[in-house]
Amino acid sequence: MSSILTNSGAMTALRTLKAINRQLSDTREMISTGKRINSAKHNPAVWAIAKTMESDVAGFARIRDSLNLGQSTVAVARKGAETVTDLLTQMKEKIIAAQEENVDRAKIQTDIEALKQQLRSTVGASQFNGLNLLNNRERPAGSGDISILASLDRSSNGRVRASDIDVWKQDLSMEISQIGGGLSAEAIATNDIAGNGDGTTFAIGGAATPNTATTAFGTGSSDRLAAGDAFAIQISATSGDAPANTTAAREIRYVARDGDTMADVTRGLALSFNQYVVGNMGQTAAGSIQASFSGNELTITGATGAGNDFSIQIDKFAADATTTIGGGLEYVDSIDVTTQKGGDAALAAIDGLLSTSIDAAAAFGSAEMRLETQHDFISSLSSSLKSGIGTLIDANMEEAAAQLQALQVQQQLSVISLSIANQAPQYLLRLFQ
């Protein structure tokens, strides 16, 4: 049945043309943007995944900036530590030269003073954007490390957690810094030097036989300490060559800096102890009693026939409001080779100072290598994520081109079909002629 009121053929052709025009519009958008999925209406699930991944890629771009800044900061610190090591090596050469009798020690001391000033200048200048990893006066509040943003970790439940790389400061300064109050006795260390843990003293370095004792601090050499934690060696002379005030107790103390380990404690105590023995107990005592360290173990050894009996014990202290600590190279300032005694003390100390700077440079080198590796990984990860996002939402341009031509032909045919359908009522007029 034909009707002049309802043209079913025209309505069908119009619906077809509208559908083709809609597909043609989507294809043109696909070609112009290069994306198969441009908004949530095209494929909500895939669009949501792609947007999440795109946000992660944007975050990784900022992380690369953070790693670049961290690398630069650590690289400056490493170079500073290496320069300090070179300066201390030159200082060691001067100290060894001063051991000769027929030398002008005053002139050698002048050279050493110049090296001290250069060392202080090097440590002060080893900063990047105001952050100095070699100076105990400029540590981050409450911690001995800096945290460098290194990654974003997304779990299976969608939660995101920032991941950091911590770089510990390595104190190579010569200055004293205030960190809290004076020290008050807290408790005897778990293992005092006598090995019985009760805080009693014992004699070492007797005339008949040598006496060697070893004690370990904490559970491991990498144990971290809070600033102000302190350990001390209490020395009392009972016979033979005595400390400065004969039987008066002499305390060799090491106060922890931010980020120090138990290995730093043992090294600091051994260095201080040996300096004191050589510098304050006379030439006959030199080498008769000495301390050595390995990891978190401190060993004190007396020599046979030295004629020196000492009572020694280890104490642990806690900081209160006015505690001060020296820098990692505090002892450099006391080096004076104008006398034989001072030359001996300097020679005993210099290797420990060199060990401090070498360890610092090695620590920064390791941190710098880790940051560089993480930077390369983040760059590769970003590239992989971008590739994955492209697989999800990018348009196949070959298919899009073919589809565009096909739809253009279909559009033309639909227009012709609609034109024919609209002319159909005209033929009904002939029935009334």
Side-chain angles (χ1 to χ4, degrees), residues 25-90:
S25 176
D26 291 341
T27 302
R28 286 171 177 164
E29 182 182 1
M30 187 188 308
I31 293 172
S32 63
T33 62
K35 293 181 178 181
R36 177 171 56 89
I37 299 174
N38 284 289
S39 64
K41 71 176 183 178
H42 294 141
N43 190 322
V46 174
W47 180 85
I49 294 172
K51 284 300 177 181
T52 300
M53 294 174 67
E54 285 177 354
S55 70
D56 287 348
V57 170
F60 283 130
R62 302 289 75 78
I63 290 173
R64 288 199 299 273
D65 294 340
S66 172
L67 289 170
N68 285 332
L69 180 60
Q71 277 183 267
S72 300
T73 304
V74 174
V76 169
R78 174 187 54 78
K79 186 59 180 178
E82 290 173 350
T83 302
V84 168
T85 300
D86 293 339
L87 293 172
L88 289 174
T89 300
Q90 296 177 44

Side-chain angles (χ1 to χ4, degrees), residues 216-225 261-264 266 295-297:
F217 299 92
T219 58
S221 58
S222 62
D223 293 351
R224 295 286 179 183
L225 298 171
T261 65
M262 298 308 300
D264 296 317
T266 52
N296 65 324
E297 291 187 349

